[in-house]
Amino acid sequence: MTTEAEAVTRSGGREIPVADGALPLIGHAIPFFRDPVGFLLRAHEKWGEAVVFLLPGRRLASFCGPRGNAAVLDLEDDTEADRRQVFDPLLTPLLGPGVSFNVPTDVMTWQHSLLLPHLRRDAFARHLPLMSGQVEQYIAGWGERGTFDVVTAMRDLAPRITAHCLIGPRFGRTMGPSLPRLLRRLDAGLFLPAVTGPRMRLHHRWTGRTREELARAIKEIAPDDRPEGSDHSPFGELLRAVGPGGRSLNEDTAAHLVITWLFSGVSTSVHAAWTGVLLLQHPQWLPVLRAEQETVLGDQPPTTLSSLRKLERLGHCVLEAERLHPAIPVLPRTAVRDLCINGYRVPRGQLVCATPGPSHRLPGVFRDPEKFDPDRYLPGREENRATPHALIGFGGGRHPCLGSTFAQLEIKIIWSVLLRAFDLELVRPEVREARTSTMRPPRRPCTVRYRRRKR
């Protein structure tokens, strides 16, 4: 009699079960886009570590849990899995040709390396005072008491901070009022093809106009702009950079690369918004965070790397927001050849996904996974480190997010400044995810009542 292991070996792996409830043509699109985390949690609870679900024109093999995430995220590019086939048709209309997944792998790696000088320790020494200053400037005109929408505020702050740190103050001041609006258009332009399939063309003209408006502003302002404390124009450095085979960036391509930097602020704004929402839904944490700030910072603003790293409890709250509301619930790749992943067969051409959203809510990995519990990251417990690939809100494996530290420090500064300046309260504590964005920010209106604190 043939054993199960022998059958798996001969066939190249077991067939992955298909989630039930698929509809003709649209598959599982309705339950997935209504609640991707809940849908996949239910599917994996029924079918196990791997399950196939269907979207219009696409068949996706979802792997859930640290073991499945590790197997997917560690797949070898070009020979096993390819991100380009997934993201090029989605992102090129938004970010422009010649950058990101629209170029060969070695060129994309070189383009990513052009961001690294802005992510070094010496660069953060320059960035952090700029970040804190931008938040202080943003709230300077607020009265003694009032309200603000937390989603709108984070959408305003995140791109403004990115612009001042990575381009310069002139660009930040000039584009400050319109930059959040343009980035929201690009984010909206990502949602339709994600739902209907990347070959959907209706969004290309609209997002193309938005992208070119941004590119024109970058080409006009950025060459003569430089961040405070820097002697060089980041845009000028892009034009002088030399890559593989003597390749260089022309002005248009450099502008498109800067747009990719700015667009990363959209996910940061979502993460920052959920951090604030979760804190205000659990106000027992506010005295803990204020006491930590008084101990670490005293009367000084949060402007040094050493002081921000000592704000550990605030950092744990940022991690818990990443766990409960990752900006991207699934991380897909295309199988370049027939694969056998953890004993399951994934045929060539099929999409295979790691799943931050459902994986972050597994009770075998995180204790009381539906509970907001920043203590789970304390020394001695550290549930995010107990199992490799347990927390993957910023990706992992071969392709972790280059800007994760920048984003986390930015979020810590935003909420450090706000918590020191105001007493804050959610007007309506129940907050749901918005369904009209792939990044699932809090649904608006998400109103916060504030009262200025006496320092």
Side-chain angles (χ1 to χ4, degrees), residues 80-116:
E80 294 182 315
D82 186 9
R83 297 178 299 159
R84 180 178 290 99
Q85 294 183 38
V86 180
F87 292 109
D88 182 24
L90 287 172
L91 293 179
T92 298
L94 273 66
L95 306 178
V99 298
S100 189
F101 297 97
N102 192 238
V103 294
T105 301
D106 61 335
V107 177
M108 182 170 65
T109 301
W110 167 61
Q111 290 182 354
H112 286 172
S113 74
L114 299 176
L115 181 60
L116 295 179

Side-chain angles (χ1 to χ4, degrees), residues 306-386:
S306 61
S307 63
L308 279 168
R309 284 178 171 168
K310 291 177 183 176
L311 295 179
E312 294 178 349
R313 305 310 297 274
L314 180 56
H316 296 163
C317 294
V318 175
L319 287 176
E320 189 69 337
E322 175 192 346
R323 184 184 72 84
L324 289 169
H325 295 281
I328 302 178
V330 297
L331 301 172
R333 286 97 170 88
T334 300
V336 176
R337 57 181 177 82
D338 291 343
L339 300 174
C340 183
I341 301 176
N342 290 352
Y344 291 97
R345 186 173 69 85
V346 178
R348 176 185 176 185
Q350 182 167 299
L351 295 179
V352 56
C353 307
T355 54
S359 296
H360 289 176
R361 296 185 183 236
L362 295 178
V365 181
F366 295 100
R367 187 191 310 170
D368 296 325
E370 299 298 323
K371 179 182 178 182
F372 178 75
D373 183 11
D375 279 349
R376 68 177 78 249
Y377 307 101
L378 286 172
R381 188 172 170 187
E382 294 180 305
E383 295 176 8
N384 59 316
R385 299 180 185 275

Side-chain angles (χ1 to χ4, degrees), residues 8 34 38 61 109 130 146 167 176 232 312 315 336 345-346 350 370 377 415 418 436 452:
V8 168
R34 178 182 296 159
T109 301
L130 294 178
I167 303 174
H232 305 287
E312 294 178 349
V336 176
R345 186 173 69 85
V346 178
Q350 182 167 299
E370 299 298 323
Y377 307 101
W415 285 105
L418 290 176
T436 55
R452 195 173 291 274

Side-chain angles (χ1 to χ4, degrees), residues 128-151:
L128 301 183
L130 294 178
M131 291 181 179
S132 181
Q134 285 302 306
V135 184
E136 293 282 5
Q137 182 179 328
Y138 185 76
I139 65 175
W142 293 8
E144 289 299 309
R145 60 183 64 220
T147 61
F148 68 93
D149 185 273
V150 69
V151 177

Side-chain angles (χ1 to χ4, degrees), residues 37 44 47 54 91 114 136 178 200 208 222 224 227 245 249 268 287 317 361 367 401 433:
V37 173
H44 283 286
W47 299 105
L54 310 176
L91 293 179
L114 299 176
E136 293 282 5
S178 59
M200 181 72 172
D224 300 321
L249 301 174
T268 303
C317 294
R361 296 185 183 236
R367 187 191 310 170
C401 175
E433 291 184 340

